[in-house]
Amino acid sequence: MSLALVQEVATNFGPIAAVGAGLAAIGGGIGVGKIGGAAMEAMARQPEMQGKLQGSAIVLIAFIEAVALFGVVVSFLVAG
Amino acid sequence: MDLITPELGLIFWTGISFLILLFILGKFAWKPILGAVNTREQSIKDALESAEAAKREMENLTADNERILQEARAEREAMMKEAREIKTKMIADAKDEAKESADKMIVQAQAAIESEKKAAVAELKSQVASLSIEIAEKVVKSELSDTDKQLKLVEDMLGNATLN
Amino acid sequence: MKTTYFTTLKSLVFGVFFILVSTTTFAASKGDSEGSKEDQPFDTKELIFHHITDSHSFHVAGDFSVPLPVILWTDNGLVTFMSSEFHHDVEGKTIVERNGQRFVNIHEKIYQLDQGAGTATFDEAHHATNAGRPMDFSITKNVFSMFLSLAIILLIFLSTARSYKKSDNNLPSGIAKFMEPIILFIRDEVAIPNIGEKKYAKYMPFLLTLFFFIWINNVIGLIPVFPFSSNLSGNIAFTVTLALITFIITLFSSKKYYWKHMLWMPGLPVPMKIFLAPIEFMGMFIKPIALTIRLFANITAGHIIVLSLISLTFIFKNYFVGVGSVIFVVFISVIEVLVVAIQAYIFTMLSALYFGQALEEEH
């Protein structure tokens, strides 16, 4: 059965690429969510630091997002 | 795969476009814009600084005025004090001098009185002496006029002498 | 002060958004005509890939598209012709002949047929077997869009600069009032904190140009009507060029400490230094690659999402789905307007960060 699955995947990369993109989105979502939550908490604790926190949160989100986007790009690669 | 294979042509045009943009904007946009913003910020900063300096100077001036006033007051105080001191000293000096001269006058007067007194006493003495000699002369002349009386005198004298 | 920058950015972003919403319906009608033209199941992938990849003609609406010049550098020198000579053929059937060389357009890529070959032949994977690619410097849809953005940026900032020159007290007026907060934002929030008070001025022209070039191109990609709508900043060639320029500037401005820190990390035991050196060295190249991928994938993903949502209407052929998908498109577009500004900011920010790292001195 597993051999049939592998053959299926090998002949038709489309669905597996979508799964890959989905997994990447999950990882990115968790990362961005954690940063967002922590940033919100920090802003609530120290509202005077809001501007600084906003800036660094955006940059950190960009870093996390890049990892997820690598996944998306790999699925582009596979999907053609 | 097509999606992530960069096309040479687009790389070429992007590079050219970006460099042209960088050159033109750098020369004709960013330089004047940033220059204007910097000049403005600098002028605002300068204005603030000069205002601050003026304020500080103002404060200095007031402090100076205050100080000068204080000094003047202190000087006046000192002058008054000095004057008072001089006055008291002058009065004291005058008193001293007056007393001294009075004392001196008194002493002189006393000395004069003393010497007058001495002279008077001496004159009196000499007059008394001459008077008593005259009297004694007259008494002796009358006493020694008769023999009885001479004898009696001798006797008295002798009598006195034994008594001694 | 910091929050006011964000407020300005926000109002800017929403302004662009309203233009966008008012034109979204155009995109929908465009998809409609393509869907009903052929009597086969609606091919979402074809539509999306057609949009996000580059092409040699600019599709406007229906069957009308604007031809663009094809410029090729072949073994026999420069060859130029208009893309209309292919008559919308992308299957490699129409052959254009110039100086005895034959060219075909296979999926918007120009191939030169081998000497003596009459028609293009393909293997099973649909790769041409008897044709090679000449160097292609064509003015494609993306290049056209880039020139457009060039004109827009020059127009905006030259008039901004002029407005400063006209005012005698250096106060902004007109469009400069709008642009100055953004320029100051780049200076005060991006350049100075990352590069440092002393050396930032040298990098300001690059950072500003980079930011506005990316941003304006991103925004152009979001507007779904003719002279705009290309996916330039979602094209990897575009992002890789900008990342490469950043990388080169980083290398040229690097100080001794940067290399020492990378190859022989101070303050660590020797085995750790040996272990870290290759990682750090690879990191030097991964940074620009990450810059490339981030911008490319973000913008491309945004275009794919919007087009997928619009395609839903034509897959289900249902009014309710249509209404729902338009609402979703509007929602995603709002996010996209924010994302394109943030991506331009992040690209600039990270470039500044890398310059700052390269300039770091031993302390």
Side-chain angles (χ1 to χ4, degrees):
Chain A
M1 190 213 113
S2 62
L3 191 73
L5 186 73
V6 170
Q7 271 178 339
E8 177 71 27
V9 168
T11 49
N12 191 355
F13 275 118
I16 204 77
V19 171
L23 287 174
I26 290 176
I30 292 172
V32 172
K34 285 201 128 184
I35 291 170
M40 273 292 153
E41 200 178 319
M43 276 181 224
R45 277 176 203 273
Q46 278 172 295
E48 71 277 3
M49 292 280 286
Q50 198 182 17
K52 226 174 185 173
L53 287 168
Q54 223 161 13
S56 41
I58 286 172
V59 171
L60 285 175
I61 285 171
F63 281 127
I64 300 296
E65 200 185 36
V67 178
L69 290 173
F70 275 124
V72 173
V73 168
V74 170
S75 54
F76 275 151
L77 243 174
V78 175
Chain B
M1 195 66 202
D2 261 5
L3 263 184
I4 53 167
T5 319
E7 285 284 321
L8 182 73
L10 193 51
I11 290 181
F12 170 78
W13 286 117
T14 309
I16 295 276
S17 302
F18 186 78
L19 293 179
I20 288 173
L21 202 61
L22 184 59
F23 178 74
I24 296 179
L25 287 184
K27 198 154 187 182
F28 299 110
W30 305 138
K31 212 168 151 192
I33 292 172
L34 290 174
V37 170
N38 278 343
T39 321
R40 196 178 65 215
E41 279 175 356
Q42 197 61 44
S43 69
I44 290 172
K45 210 172 127 205
D46 285 352
L48 280 176
E49 262 169 15
S50 63
E52 190 69 28
K55 202 175 132 203
R56 221 174 301 126
E57 204 164 324
M58 204 59 193
E59 267 166 18
N60 277 351
L61 226 67
T62 351
D64 258 12
N65 279 353
E66 198 69 24
R67 194 171 48 77
I68 287 168
L69 215 67
Q70 207 80 29
E71 268 173 19
R73 214 170 280 145
E75 207 169 332
R76 196 191 64 183
E77 206 75 17
M79 275 165 76
M80 293 274 278
K81 202 173 152 200
E82 206 176 340
R84 224 174 281 136
E85 267 167 16
I86 288 170
K87 187 187 84 183
T88 28
K89 191 160 168 264
M90 269 169 77
I91 292 171
D93 281 358
K95 264 186 190 162
D96 280 357
E97 213 169 320
K99 199 172 163 227
E100 211 169 283
S101 63
D103 281 354
K104 216 190 265 174
M105 274 166 76
I106 288 169
V107 167
Q108 272 174 355
Q110 275 174 341
I113 290 169
E114 199 65 29
S115 62
E116 287 291 319
K117 200 173 101 186
K118 271 182 185 158
V121 167
E123 178 132 343
L124 204 65
K125 269 182 181 166
S126 68
Q127 274 187 5
V128 165
S130 61
L131 216 71
S132 42
I133 288 170
E134 240 174 81
I135 293 168
E137 206 179 69
K138 278 172 184 164
V139 168
V140 168
K141 268 176 186 169
S142 62
E143 285 289 308
L144 297 176
S145 48
D146 67 84
T147 346
D148 289 348
K149 275 185 184 173
Q150 283 174 3
L151 282 168
K152 200 185 170 236
L153 182 66
V154 172
E155 252 183 74
D156 277 353
M157 280 188 148
L158 285 170
N160 275 352
T162 51
L163 271 173
N164 275 345
Chain C
M1 266 320 266
K2 270 165 202 159
T3 40
T4 52
Y5 284 131
F6 273 100
T7 330
T8 324
L9 270 181
K10 245 182 264 170
S11 51
L12 207 81
V13 152
F14 281 109
V16 177
F17 160 66
F18 284 116
I19 300 167
L20 202 112
V21 170
S22 57
T23 50
T24 307
T25 43
F26 278 90
S29 65
K30 171 180 152 189
D32 194 13
S33 65
E34 275 184 16
S36 61
K37 190 171 65 186
E38 294 140 26
D39 223 13
Q40 47 192 311
F42 184 69
D43 190 353
T44 319
K45 195 178 165 188
E46 162 43 43
L47 169 80
I48 292 173
F49 270 72
H50 170 75
H51 173 79
I52 62 177
T53 51
D54 209 353
S55 72
H56 283 276
S57 61
F58 209 134
H59 180 252
V60 180
D63 281 337
F64 177 66
S65 47
V66 176
L68 294 166
V70 175
I71 303 165
L72 302 169
W73 181 256
T74 63
D75 300 334
N76 294 352
L78 203 65
V79 174
T80 57
F81 54 90
M82 291 305 280
S83 69
S84 52
E85 294 196 30
F86 286 121
H87 301 296
H88 301 298
D89 170 52
V90 291
E91 301 297 327
K93 292 191 185 98
T94 314
I95 293 167
V96 175
E97 210 168 328
R98 284 285 186 285
N99 321 337
Q101 297 171 97
R102 289 140 178 257
F103 302 99
V104 289
N105 182 344
I106 303 172
H107 295 301
E108 294 298 354
K109 287 192 169 56
I110 309 290
Y111 283 78
Q112 184 183 2
L113 292 179
D114 293 343
Q115 213 65 45
T119 52
T121 52
F122 301 98
D123 57 13
E124 309 92 65
H126 206 75
H127 292 304
T129 50
N130 60 348
R133 297 198 59 196
M135 296 230 260
D136 188 349
F137 297 107
S138 306
I139 308 298
T140 57
K141 188 168 93 174
N142 281 342
V143 177
F144 172 79
S145 168
M146 187 154 55
F147 290 163
L148 185 72
S149 75
L150 222 66
I152 293 172
I153 293 170
L154 285 179
L155 193 75
I156 292 173
F157 290 103
L158 293 182
S159 60
T160 303
R162 203 168 43 241
S163 92
Y164 279 103
K165 237 172 244 165
K166 265 192 293 189
S167 78
D168 38 293
N169 48 3
N170 289 321
L171 284 178
S173 61
I175 197 161
K177 260 183 193 163
F178 195 70
M179 288 302 163
E180 194 188 288
I182 307 173
I183 293 170
L184 289 183
F185 174 78
I186 298 291
R187 192 189 66 177
D188 297 338
E189 304 292 315
V190 175
I192 292 178
N194 289 311
I195 300 175
E197 193 81 57
K198 270 180 250 163
K199 289 172 179 164
Y200 84 95
K202 210 170 72 185
Y203 296 93
M204 274 308 282
F206 174 73
L207 293 174
L208 285 169
T209 312
L210 188 69
F211 177 77
F212 287 107
F213 194 46
I214 295 173
W215 189 36
I216 300 280
N217 274 309
N218 283 349
V219 171
I220 283 176
L222 282 183
I223 303 172
V225 283
F226 161 59
F228 311 106
S229 86
S230 68
N231 185 29
L232 173 59
S233 47
N235 191 304
I236 199 156
F238 176 83
T239 60
V240 86
T241 312
L242 297 183
L244 210 65
I245 294 172
T246 296
F247 181 58
I248 290 168
I249 294 177
T250 311
L251 287 189
F252 271 99
S253 49
S254 62
K255 294 272 191 299
K256 205 175 124 201
Y257 183 69
Y258 173 73
W259 296 99
K260 193 179 158 196
H261 197 268
M262 187 165 67
L263 300 173
W264 203 244
M265 181 86 79
L268 283 179
V270 173
M272 204 62 197
K273 283 179 175 174
I274 293 167
F275 178 70
L276 271 180
I279 295 177
E280 289 273 331
F281 189 70
M282 259 159 38
M284 187 174 83
F285 297 100
I286 288 175
K287 279 172 192 165
I289 293 172
L291 275 183
T292 309
I293 299 290
R294 184 179 297 114
L295 183 58
F296 151 71
N298 253 303
I299 304 304
T300 304
H303 282 243
I304 290 176
I305 289 169
V306 170
L307 287 168
S308 303
L309 284 170
I310 289 171
S311 300
L312 280 182
T313 320
F314 307 106
I315 293 167
F316 288 102
K317 294 201 166 69
N318 180 316
Y319 284 114
F320 297 109
V321 175
V323 172
S325 78
V326 166
I327 291 169
F328 265 102
V329 167
V330 170
F331 174 67
I332 291 293
S333 298
V334 177
I335 295 179
E336 277 304 303
V337 168
L338 265 172
V339 164
V340 297
I342 288 173
Q343 287 308 318
Y345 163 63
I346 283 172
F347 199 109
T348 317
M349 172 91 182
L350 291 179
S351 297
L353 197 71
Y354 298 153
F355 298 156
Q357 281 172 353
L359 284 171
E360 218 175 327
E361 299 275 6
E362 206 146 358
H363 28 238

